[in-house]
Amino acid sequence: MPRVLPVLTVAALAVALAGCTTGDPDTGSTPDPSASASGERVCATPGDGTDKVDVTGEFGAVPTVVVDSPIEVDDTERRVLIEGEGEAAAYGDTVRVDFTLYNGTTGEAATQTDYAEGAQAQFVLNEAAFIPGLVKTIECSKPGARVIGVVPAAQAFGENGLADFNISAGDTVVFVVDVVSVDAPLQPAEWTENVPTVERDADGIPVVTLPEGAAPTELLATVLEEGDGATVVAGDSVTLNYQGTSWEKNEIFDQSFGGDPATFATTQVVQGFGAALVGQKVGSTVLVVIPPSLAYGDDPQAHQLGGQTLVFLIDILGVNGV
């Protein structure tokens, strides 16, 4: 009788597959975000490792996988089984996937997602947020693709392993991934008309003066000062100072200026705020206006900022701890 694999839920995925793989944030496993954003990344390719994995079955269904173990690789290898159609996934894109995970050292099945409609795992392709080997396996894949990724321990679960699924320290792992959808990051339009004026007081705290008239109805941003540091990629952890103003009330509702800078991932804030950070360089000052639909929604009863258009002045100080 076939073994029934434990299902890796979306919540468990965020814990199991997130962060630095070796348990030491100073090992250099965190990628250079400027290189990630500049197009210098290359697609992982097939090799002797992927040749030792046999997969059968249809896209969207649990695959039958045979691993000729043990497999050892120095870098993530990737082989496309089903090509898919459309725009290939790029670093920083959001993907929805189903996958099955095998231990490449022992050949044993480890876990899988549900393979149920609407239950796919969703996350951002960013090595600062998820294990590099999974990102490299999915990157360059089109919607509808099925791909194999053979991943060394250094780009998977490293010295920690994944004990709940019988993956030990140093084990190679094998992913078989079905790429259900790929979405590029949301991008604000350029803010060129009725842009607020910005001044700084003696302590460097911004004073944002809104123009008269109705609030913009779309997501708009303008770079007041461009930095020369690393470029923010979707999913990055960004350190910044910010000041938030309600357009309708013409008053500041929150700010970090005058206190400690804030640090959070672009995926941990309202959608419009995160979108304003992506693609910007460390050292930049950005002004963004966010309609309610991309902030706290249209319902004033659901949130104290519901139904309000928000203006943020943002100083980007660092990314991924740098």
Side-chain angles (χ1 to χ4, degrees):
M1 178 180 293
R3 175 185 169 207
V4 178
L5 297 184
V7 171
L8 189 65
T9 66
V10 175
L13 172 81
V15 175
L17 304 184
C20 180
T21 62
T22 63
D24 181 356
D26 296 321
T27 59
S29 63
T30 298
D32 174 0
S34 61
S36 300
S38 66
E40 296 176 13
R41 295 180 65 87
V42 296
C43 302
T45 56
D48 292 341
T50 53
D51 286 345
K52 298 180 73 173
V53 181
D54 183 70
V55 179
T56 56
E58 297 182 355
F59 178 90
V62 178
T64 299
V65 181
V66 178
V67 178
D68 183 9
S69 62
I71 302 178
E72 294 184 7
V73 293
D74 295 324
D75 198 3
T76 296
E77 296 179 1
R78 170 180 172 272
R79 177 158 63 96
V80 179
L81 302 178
I82 302 173
E83 185 68 26
E85 297 180 350
E87 291 293 325
Y91 197 80
D93 284 352
T94 297
V95 296
R96 287 192 307 120
V97 301
D98 276 312
F99 67 84
T100 298
L101 174 64
Y102 273 68
N103 187 321
T105 300
T106 66
E108 293 294 316
T111 186
Q112 65 189 42
T113 54
D114 255 339
Y115 289 85
E117 183 68 28
Q120 292 86 11
Q122 177 173 300
F123 53 93
V124 176
L125 295 179
N126 186 315
E127 291 179 10
F130 289 92
I131 63 172
L134 180 59
V135 173
K136 292 180 179 181
T137 297
I138 300 170
E139 197 174 358
C140 305
S141 303
K142 300 176 182 179
R146 170 169 282 184
V147 294
I148 299 171
V150 178
V151 183
Q155 296 172 11
F157 303 106
E159 298 173 1
N160 298 322
L162 196 61
D164 289 346
F165 301 102
N166 297 316
I167 295 174
S168 301
D171 283 349
T172 300
V173 298
V174 175
F175 286 100
V176 178
V177 183
D178 287 358
V179 181
V180 177
S181 67
V182 176
D183 293 301
L186 175 67
Q187 293 185 331
E190 182 70 20
W191 197 357
T192 58
E193 297 182 0
N194 296 322
V195 179
T197 60
V198 178
E199 298 178 346
R200 304 266 181 166
D201 67 15
D203 296 320
I205 297 176
V207 178
V208 177
T209 303
L210 302 181
E212 295 183 359
T217 58
E218 62 178 319
L219 181 66
L220 304 172
T222 184
V223 178
L224 302 181
E225 182 177 346
E226 185 173 13
D228 58 5
T231 301
V232 178
V233 176
D236 278 345
S237 179
V238 185
T239 299
L240 48 79
N241 275 318
Y242 68 91
Q243 182 183 91
T245 302
S246 166
W247 188 291
E248 286 77 11
K249 295 186 176 182
N250 195 21
E251 62 183 33
I252 296 170
F253 60 84
D254 190 22
Q255 68 174 326
S256 64
F257 288 99
D260 295 328
T263 299
F264 39 68
T266 67
T267 54
Q268 293 176 326
V269 290
V270 295
Q271 190 175 6
F273 193 106
L277 298 175
V278 173
Q280 305 295 348
K281 296 179 180 179
V282 172
S284 295
T285 296
V286 180
L287 190 65
V288 59
V289 59
I290 308 173
S293 61
L294 297 174
Y296 292 97
D298 296 312
D299 184 3
Q301 303 301 317
H303 192 279
Q304 62 182 3
L305 294 173
Q308 297 179 45
T309 303
L310 309 182
V311 176
F312 283 97
L313 188 285
I314 307 166
D315 287 347
I316 301 175
L317 307 178
V319 61
N320 294 332
V322 179

